[in-house]
C-alpha cells in the first residue's frame, strides 16, 4: 500500500516534468492521476487474510505447547 501511495503521488509530478520537456499543449494534473482503488482493496484483503492465518497458527502452536506440557508431566509422573 505504501508503494501504491507513492506511485499515486509521483505519477502526476512525472507528467508535469514530461509536459515541461515537451513544451506543447496545456498541463492538467487530472490527466496524470490514476485510480488505484483496486490496489487498496487487494492490499486490505491480503492484510486480513494474513491476520486470520496468523491467528489460526498461534492457536495451533498454543495447543501443541499444551499437549507437550501434558506429555512431559505424564512422563515425569511415570518415571519418578
Amino acid at each position: 500500500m505504501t508503494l501504491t501511495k507513492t506511485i499515486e503521488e509521483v505519477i502526476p509530478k512525472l507528467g508535469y516534468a514530461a509536459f515541461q520537456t515537451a513544451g506543447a499543449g496545456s498541463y492538467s494534473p487530472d490527466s496524470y492521476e490514476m485510480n488505484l482503488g483496486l490496489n487498496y482493496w487487494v492490499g486490505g484483503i491480503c492484510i486480513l487474510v494474513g491476520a486470520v492465518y496468523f491467528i489460526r497458527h498461534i492457536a495451533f502452536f498454543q495447543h501443541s505447547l499444551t499437549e507437550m506440557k501434558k506429555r512431559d508431566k505424564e512422563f515425569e509422573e511415570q518415571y519418578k
Side-chain angles (χ1 to χ4, degrees):
M1 292 182 81
T2 302
L3 180 62
T4 301
K5 195 65 176 169
T6 302
I7 290 170
E8 195 174 63
E9 293 295 322
V10 169
I11 293 298
K13 291 175 180 32
L14 290 175
Y16 182 70
F19 165 75
Q20 292 288 28
T21 303
S26 62
Y27 171 77
S28 172
D30 296 334
S31 300
Y32 297 97
E33 286 185 11
M34 299 182 335
N35 183 4
L36 300 173
L38 180 63
N39 286 7
Y40 293 124
W41 278 103
V42 170
I45 290 170
C46 286
I47 290 170
L48 287 175
V49 168
V52 168
Y53 182 78
F54 180 72
I55 290 170
R56 286 187 66 206
H57 273 65
I58 284 179
F60 171 76
F61 288 123
Q62 286 177 345
H63 177 68
S64 297
L65 288 174
T66 304
E67 285 294 318
M68 286 173 50
K69 287 178 184 178
K70 181 177 147 186
R71 290 178 186 167
D72 190 35
K73 189 174 184 179
E74 289 174 358
F75 180 81
E76 287 178 7
E77 288 176 359
Q78 184 178 4
Y79 292 102
K80 257 187 179 178

